[in-house]
Amino acid sequence: MSKLALAIHGGAGTILRSQMTPDKEAIYRKALEDALEAGYKVLHEGGAALDAVVAAVVSLEDCEWFNAGKGSVFTHQGHHEMDASLMDGQTGRAGAVAGVRLIKNPILLAQSIMDHSEHILLSGEGAMAFAQEHGLAFEDDAYFYTTHRYKQWQKALLEDRTLLDHDDRETDNDLDEKKFGTVGAVACDVHGHLAAATSTGGMTNKKYNRIGDSPLIGCGTYANNRTCAVSCTGHGEKFIQAVAAYDVHCLMEYKGLSLQEALRIVVNEKLLRIRGEGGIIGVDACGNTAMIFNSEGMYRARKEAGGVKEIAIYK
C-alpha cells in the first residue's frame, strides 16, 4: 500500500520576505492550506489521485491571489486567456486546454476533454464551444477583474512589455502584489496511482494568443505510475525548450534516479543552463514528495501520510 501524498504550488519567482507584509503572507498561507486540504481530503477518503489534484487546483483557481482562474492576468487586449492540463499516471490519459476565456475553472475543462473527447488539447473558441456543450461553468469579465492585476497590466502597457507572473522589475508599491503564479498539484493515492495538474493565466500583456508550457503534456505537466507526477511553474518558453516535466520522468526511468535527484538536475542544472527560472513539484509512487526551485521563492505546500505537512514561500 502506497503512502498518501499531495504537493501543490502557486508559482515561483522573486518572492522576498522583505517585500511581504504579515497580512499578505497570512493570505497566501491560508490559500495554500485550503487547496492542500481540499486535495488531501479526497485522498484520505480513498479517492483517486486524479480527483485530488483537480480538487486542489480548483481551490487555487478560485482564489484571486494566484495567476489562474479568477486571478488570471490581463492580455494585451485586456482579456484573460487561460491554459490548463491534467494527466493520469495510471492510464496515461491526459486532457488540456489553451487560450480560453470566461471559463471559471479551466482545469475542469481539461478534465472534461480527457473524459469526453478523443482529443487531448483543445484551444480557443473550439474549446469554449466544447465547454458549453458539456455544461462547464462560465463567468463574465467582471469575475476575473482584480485591481492589482489591472494595475500590473496598465504598467506593462505603458512600458510595452510582457511580464512573467514572477517578474521582479516592478517598483511601485501598488504593484508589489504581482508575484502570483501558475498553479499546480501532484498526488499519490492509496493504490500508488499518480496524477498531475497545472493551470495558468499566462503572462501579463501577452500578445498573439501566446501559450506557455502549462497546457503542454511533457513540458508543464506529466504523470506516469512507473516514476513520478510533476507540475512546473516559471518561464514557460524555457520549460518547453527543456521538455522539463518529461525529462524528470526520463531521468528516473532510464537512469534510475530518485525523484529528488531528477528534479535537482532539471531545475538546477538543465534549466539554469538556458536561463530558465522557476520550479517543479513532484511525487513518486511511494508517496515521496519534492519541491525544488531555482528562484528566490515558490508558493508551495505538501502533505504526506505519517504527519509530514509543510507550507512554505521563501527559500
Side-chain angles (χ1 to χ4, degrees):
M1 183 176 291
S2 293
K3 183 173 64 176
L4 302 183
L6 180 81
I8 64 172
H9 70 75
T14 306
I15 305 165
L16 302 174
R17 193 183 301 272
S18 60
Q19 296 177 351
M20 189 81 73
T21 66
D23 287 347
K24 208 191 308 185
E25 182 171 333
I27 289 170
Y28 292 137
R29 289 184 178 276
K30 177 66 163 57
L32 289 168
E33 182 163 26
D34 287 348
L36 187 69
E37 294 302 331
Y40 198 82
K41 181 175 185 289
V42 174
L43 298 176
H44 185 68
E45 293 176 352
L50 195 69
D51 294 328
V53 295
V54 169
V57 169
V58 164
S59 180
L60 292 166
E61 287 179 337
D62 288 346
C63 176
E64 69 176 74
W65 300 104
F66 298 102
N67 179 19
K70 182 177 176 62
S72 293
V73 298
F74 284 85
T75 68
H76 183 70
Q77 292 77 21
H79 301 145
H80 306 275
E81 292 176 359
M82 298 169 286
D83 312 324
S85 64
L86 175 71
M87 188 167 185
D88 181 357
Q90 178 187 8
T91 64
R93 294 188 309 139
V97 59
V100 294
R101 295 184 55 210
L102 308 178
I103 303 293
K104 182 181 180 184
N105 293 111
I107 197 62
L108 294 181
L109 177 51
Q111 185 178 33
S112 187
I113 291 167
M114 183 179 75
D115 289 341
H116 302 297
S117 82
E118 60 184 327
H119 308 299
I120 289 178
L121 174 62
L122 298 181
S123 67
E125 295 295 330
M128 292 166 67
F130 183 92
Q132 287 180 318
E133 291 174 9
H134 290 83
L136 274 294
F138 282 71
E139 296 286 351
D140 59 23
D141 282 316
Y143 172 81
F144 300 94
Y145 177 91
T146 55
T147 301
H148 55 274
R149 289 301 192 195
Y150 181 79
K151 289 180 178 179
Q152 184 182 6
W153 173 51
Q154 290 300 297
K155 183 175 176 65
L157 277 175
L158 263 173
E159 299 178 358
D160 191 27
R161 62 188 176 97
T162 56
L163 298 174
L164 296 173
D165 53 32
H166 56 282
D167 198 306
D168 70 337
R169 288 175 290 180
E170 301 163 19
T171 56
D172 293 356
N173 289 335
D174 287 344
L175 293 175
D176 280 347
E177 298 179 63
K178 65 194 174 343
K179 303 174 185 71
F180 314 100
T182 299
V183 306
V186 295
C188 176
D189 63 29
V190 68
H191 303 293
H193 300 321
L194 306 179
T198 310
S199 181
T200 189
M203 299 170 71
T204 297
N205 200 37
K206 64 184 177 182
K207 301 177 183 178
Y208 314 118
N209 303 113
R210 176 265 183 187
I211 295 167
D213 65 307
S214 295
L216 303 183
I217 299 302
C219 296
T221 305
Y222 191 75
N224 188 313
N225 273 10
R226 294 196 303 275
T227 54
C228 62
V230 297
S231 174
C232 304
T233 177
H235 189 170
E237 280 70 14
K238 300 300 183 181
F239 280 75
I240 294 171
Q241 283 179 252
V243 197
Y246 185 66
D247 204 23
V248 176
H249 155 78
C250 289
L251 287 168
M252 295 179 69
E253 181 165 52
Y254 303 137
K255 295 193 72 174
L257 300 186
S258 67
L259 172 66
Q260 184 81 16
E261 181 64 7
L263 284 179
R264 186 195 65 76
I265 289 173
V266 172
V267 174
N268 290 331
E269 294 183 13
K270 294 191 172 183
L271 281 169
L272 280 182
R273 279 201 293 269
I274 57 173
R275 298 186 178 182
E277 182 189 1
I280 307 178
I281 59 169
V283 64
D284 65 22
C286 295
N288 301 304
T289 60
M291 307 183 291
I292 294 184
F293 53 99
N294 60 31
S295 50
E296 293 295 330
M298 180 168 73
Y299 298 110
R300 62 200 188 277
R302 61 178 171 175
K303 187 171 183 178
E304 300 176 5
V308 173
K309 183 176 180 180
E310 177 185 7
I311 298 173
I313 298 174
Y314 317 108
K315 263 186 179 174

